[in-house]
Amino acid sequence: MAFVGIDVGGTRIKLGLVKQKKMVSSSVFEVKNNHSLEANLPLIIEEIKALSFAFDASEPIEGIGMALPCLIDHKKNKILSDYVKYPDAKNIDLEAWFYQFYKVPFIIENDARAALVGEIEGIDQGTKDAVLVTFGTGIGTAVLSNGTMLRGFNQFAGNLGGHQTIDVFGDKCNCGDIGCAESLASGWALHSILESEKSYEMSSLSKVKNPQIQDLFKAAAEGDTLAKSIYNRYLKAWSYTLKNLVYAYDPEYLILGGGVMTDGENLREYFQTFIDKANWLSHFTVKVVLAQNPDWAGVIGAAILAQEKEIAH
Amino acid sequence: MAFVGIDVGGTRIKLGLVKQKKMVSSSVFEVKNNHSLEANLPLIIEEIKALSFAFDASEPIEGIGMALPCLIDHKKNKILSDYVKYPDAKNIDLEAWFYQFYKVPFIIENDARAALVGEIEGIDQGTKDAVLVTFGTGIGTAVLSNGTMLRGFNQFAGNLGGHQTIDVFGDKCNCGDIGCAESLASGWALHSILESEKSYEMSSLSKVKNPQIQDLFKAAAEGDTLAKSIYNRYLKAWSYTLKNLVYAYDPEYLILGGGVMTDGENLREYFQTFIDKANWLSHFTVKVVLAQNPDWAGVIGAAILAQEKEIAH
């Protein structure tokens, strides 16, 4: 019983063969045909064949799960939002496409939800209530509540935590709403935040081409005044974003992932202390933990979701 | 099969006898022994007896549900937060107390959750995803997701929407956190918001003793400059509070209740338009509706929850 997990990023596509919820072989390829998911699908099939052959050619594949950074209707296997990197993704019948090669259950799922399923395997398989937050280019969120993925009426429950408004008197987010968490503190927002500052030219960050959050952290650690000020604002915005998510969902585990949290023990501790001090939480327990397997949790989770679909068949 | 619902407010206690999810008789009494729930419990028993006698003395009571404006552990029938109006509430074993008189299932529940259960009866019994928001002295919230009440690990999921931070650079809320929705726009916050304004003395509201939100609405409608400005800020804060709740839970119905929403068709329409325009929601459906039975939904819901417990027994 082997299941395939596929995590479709904008620049890299990761694949894994998963048996009994553990990954037994994996591969990554750089996307060669940019801006077309369809053009990359044959490459995915080739990778699945190679993975399968490398592991055990006689082991049949029982299901395929695919994770993408979009709003997804998991039941209908349908992409609900645009995927900037692959404008064609929304219009491809992925289930039918994969069915040509593998007549097995196929699911697509939002990447944060898939990663949450994968992470829970490594953190506490018995938990019924966990929230995953990934800090990186954007802020991704997913929620497991009472043992099931929170999906909601239109299938986007738990996914839009990065676009909660935390600064109602602030500026427009690039989504069109006001003061979203992502617009205050994310990778994509950093450049315009820097440029809006008068002292930008005096900052060491003005010499960095296309500055990333890691550059902000580094410059702040080195004592750059502007970097320190923006870093503190990022910490504040992230802290209240997390507080709001805990107030909304009351998880047992708050799992921190994304590029920002690599080696993030200091940040984890900071957020744990902040959450512990939040007024309503002083009598309650929320365990703030780092993602255990940020690179592969999406692949593993997608495969596990495919397995669950197979069982439900 | 009659069930008793009790809605314990700070100044009034409401009771109802509920058969087949409909209220068949009801009563309200003004709290006589302020600051002690225990002192009011014998009055509640007297009211139940009177209700039962008035309806049909031979009809046995099969369960009792009690709603209170506190964080509540529904499974353990335990009050988790302090109830300002009844400081003794937290330490009373209510289940044991009622068991002396009625040896039937007894549940306590947060009042917004009970009201949500009661409201759904009048709006759409088939819905699996609904959020209730009550605007009044505070902002109460409760969430039904995938057909079950959202409770979370510590039992407070869905309850703390009024204390989500929507103004991360704002002032301290009286809860100790920063920029909570309630601190920006609620009944309890109004007086200090008014007093912090330089033009307060020039406003007609300075002549109102202990001004309520209804006074704010009235003064704004009459053209008072300060009142109009604060009214607009209230609308803005409530709009983004609702947006965040929809982003978090993705309900089919967003139910608006509380004192503010009495005759609130204009407000409902305003919020429906706002939600429809929120960026991520343009392809989705969220029905913004007024609470149908704001006075009695808590009583009916508490009785229904008692019935569900009776069935589970």
Side-chain angles (χ1 to χ4, degrees):
Chain A
M1 297 275 281
F3 295 85
V4 173
I6 309 162
D7 194 348
V8 181
T11 52
R12 296 190 306 163
I13 295 176
K14 297 178 203 171
L15 297 100
L17 215 60
V18 174
K19 267 185 72 110
Q20 291 170 328
K21 304 191 176 181
K22 300 257 179 290
M23 196 160 65
V24 293
S25 87
S26 67
S27 69
V28 186
F29 69 92
E30 299 283 320
V31 168
K32 291 170 192 85
N33 301 288
N34 275 320
H35 302 298
S36 167
L37 183 60
E38 197 168 16
N40 282 288
L41 291 177
L43 303 180
I44 291 174
I45 293 293
E46 288 312 306
E47 292 286 332
I48 295 175
K49 282 183 191 162
L51 269 185
S52 185
F53 190 77
F55 173 66
D56 178 356
S58 69
E59 177 101 19
I61 284 166
E62 305 281 344
I64 299 172
M66 181 184 257
L68 305 104
C70 310
L71 293 185
I72 280 169
D73 186 332
H74 164 77
K75 278 188 197 159
K76 294 183 184 158
N77 275 331
K78 204 167 163 265
I79 297 173
L80 298 173
S81 63
D82 295 319
Y83 189 173
V84 182
K85 298 288 179 74
Y86 303 110
D88 62 339
K90 210 172 161 177
N91 304 316
I92 307 171
D93 184 342
L94 288 162
E95 186 163 14
W97 199 88
F98 278 93
Y99 195 77
Q100 303 170 69
F101 303 93
Y102 295 97
K103 288 171 179 55
V104 297
F106 171 83
I107 63 111
I108 57 173
E109 184 52 284
N110 167 268
D111 62 345
R113 285 186 181 157
L116 174 57
V117 171
E119 283 296 344
I120 283 172
E121 285 305 304
I123 289 166
D124 179 354
Q125 292 164 33
T127 188
K128 290 184 155 196
D129 298 280
V131 171
L132 173 71
V133 186
T134 58
F135 294 112
T137 307
I139 300 175
T141 55
V143 177
L144 184 86
S145 182
N146 198 27
T148 57
M149 192 64 70
L150 198 75
R151 297 193 187 278
F153 183 66
N154 299 286
Q155 299 271 325
F156 64 74
N159 265 182
L160 293 174
H163 284 279
Q164 57 177 299
T165 290
I166 59 168
D167 184 14
V168 71
F169 302 116
D171 299 327
K172 249 194 180 177
C173 175
N174 71 357
C175 80
D177 289 345
I178 299 289
C180 298
E182 277 195 11
S183 73
L184 268 73
S186 71
W188 70 255
L190 183 57
H191 195 66
S192 65
I193 289 172
L194 284 168
E195 284 199 320
S196 71
E197 294 285 340
K198 281 178 192 155
S199 61
Y200 181 39
E201 281 182 27
M202 268 123 70
S203 163
S204 63
L205 284 168
S206 66
K207 278 138 208 143
V208 181
K209 200 183 159 188
N210 191 20
Q212 306 295 309
I213 296 181
Q214 280 77 0
D215 300 310
L216 175 72
F217 283 19
K218 191 164 163 277
E222 287 167 2
D224 184 89
T225 311
L226 179 64
K228 281 201 293 188
S229 152
I230 294 177
Y231 174 75
N232 286 333
R233 263 153 51 200
Y234 267 53
L235 278 191
K236 187 170 187 176
W238 286 337
S239 298
Y240 283 98
T241 299
L242 294 176
K243 185 208 94 163
N244 284 356
L245 293 173
V246 171
Y247 277 28
Y249 305 119
D250 181 16
E252 181 179 12
Y253 291 94
L254 180 61
I255 307 169
L256 307 174
V260 170
M261 298 305 296
T262 315
D263 300 322
E265 178 52 28
N266 285 343
L267 276 178
R268 187 209 63 76
E269 206 180 308
Y270 179 91
F271 292 135
Q272 177 76 65
T273 305
F274 181 89
I275 292 293
D276 286 346
K277 282 187 185 162
N279 171 68
W280 287 97
L281 304 182
S282 51
H283 299 300
F284 300 110
T285 311
V286 182
K287 294 170 204 145
V288 181
V289 298
L290 291 177
Q292 300 293 300
N293 195 6
D295 289 337
W296 292 99
V299 167
I300 297 166
I304 291 173
L305 288 165
Q307 179 170 1
E308 285 171 4
K309 184 164 177 177
E310 207 268 344
I311 292 164
H313 256 223
Chain B
M1 296 274 283
F3 296 85
V4 174
I6 310 161
D7 193 349
V8 181
T11 51
R12 295 191 307 163
I13 294 176
K14 298 177 201 170
L15 298 100
L17 214 58
V18 174
K19 268 186 71 115
Q20 293 171 326
K21 304 190 176 183
K22 301 254 180 291
M23 196 159 66
V24 292
S25 92
S26 67
S27 69
V28 186
F29 68 93
E30 300 283 321
V31 169
K32 290 168 194 83
N33 301 288
N34 275 319
H35 302 297
S36 166
L37 183 59
E38 196 168 16
N40 281 287
L41 291 176
L43 303 179
I44 291 174
I45 292 293
E46 289 312 307
E47 291 288 332
I48 294 174
K49 283 184 191 160
L51 270 184
S52 184
F53 190 77
F55 173 67
D56 178 358
S58 69
E59 177 101 19
I61 285 166
E62 305 283 344
I64 300 171
M66 181 184 257
L68 306 104
C70 310
L71 294 185
I72 280 169
D73 187 331
H74 165 75
K75 279 187 194 160
K76 293 183 186 157
N77 275 332
K78 203 167 165 269
I79 296 173
L80 299 173
S81 63
D82 294 320
Y83 189 172
V84 182
K85 298 288 180 72
Y86 303 110
D88 62 339
K90 210 172 162 178
N91 305 316
I92 307 171
D93 184 342
L94 288 162
E95 186 164 12
W97 199 88
F98 277 94
Y99 194 78
Q100 303 171 68
F101 303 93
Y102 295 97
K103 287 169 182 53
V104 296
F106 172 82
I107 62 113
I108 59 172
E109 184 52 285
N110 167 268
D111 62 346
R113 286 187 180 154
L116 175 57
V117 171
E119 283 295 345
I120 283 172
E121 285 304 305
I123 288 167
D124 178 354
Q125 291 164 31
T127 189
K128 289 184 155 195
D129 298 279
V131 170
L132 173 72
V133 186
T134 58
F135 294 112
T137 307
I139 300 176
T141 55
V143 178
L144 185 86
S145 183
N146 197 28
T148 57
M149 192 64 71
L150 198 74
R151 297 193 187 277
F153 184 65
N154 299 287
Q155 300 269 329
F156 64 74
N159 264 182
L160 292 174
H163 284 280
Q164 56 177 302
T165 290
I166 59 169
D167 185 13
V168 70
F169 302 115
D171 298 329
K172 251 194 179 177
C173 175
N174 71 356
C175 80
D177 290 344
I178 299 289
C180 297
E182 276 194 12
S183 72
L184 266 74
S186 70
W188 68 255
L190 183 58
H191 195 67
S192 64
I193 289 171
L194 285 167
E195 284 201 320
S196 72
E197 295 284 339
K198 282 178 192 156
S199 61
Y200 181 39
E201 281 181 29
M202 269 124 67
S203 162
S204 64
L205 285 167
S206 66
K207 278 139 209 143
V208 181
K209 201 183 158 188
N210 191 18
Q212 305 295 310
I213 295 181
Q214 280 77 358
D215 301 309
L216 174 73
F217 284 18
K218 188 163 166 278
E222 288 167 2
D224 185 88
T225 311
L226 178 65
K228 280 202 292 187
S229 151
I230 294 176
Y231 174 74
N232 286 333
R233 262 153 50 200
Y234 267 53
L235 278 190
K236 187 170 187 174
W238 286 337
S239 298
Y240 284 98
T241 300
L242 294 176
K243 185 208 93 162
N244 285 355
L245 293 173
V246 171
Y247 277 28
Y249 305 118
D250 181 15
E252 180 178 13
Y253 291 94
L254 180 61
I255 308 168
L256 307 174
V260 170
M261 299 305 297
T262 315
D263 301 321
E265 178 51 29
N266 286 342
L267 276 178
R268 187 208 64 77
E269 205 180 309
Y270 180 90
F271 292 136
Q272 177 76 65
T273 305
F274 181 89
I275 292 291
D276 287 345
K277 282 188 185 162
N279 172 68
W280 287 98
L281 304 183
S282 51
H283 300 299
F284 300 110
T285 312
V286 182
K287 293 171 206 146
V288 182
V289 298
L290 290 178
Q292 301 293 301
N293 196 5
D295 288 337
W296 292 99
V299 167
I300 296 167
I304 291 173
L305 287 166
Q307 179 169 0
E308 285 170 4
K309 182 164 179 178
E310 206 268 344
I311 291 164
H313 255 225

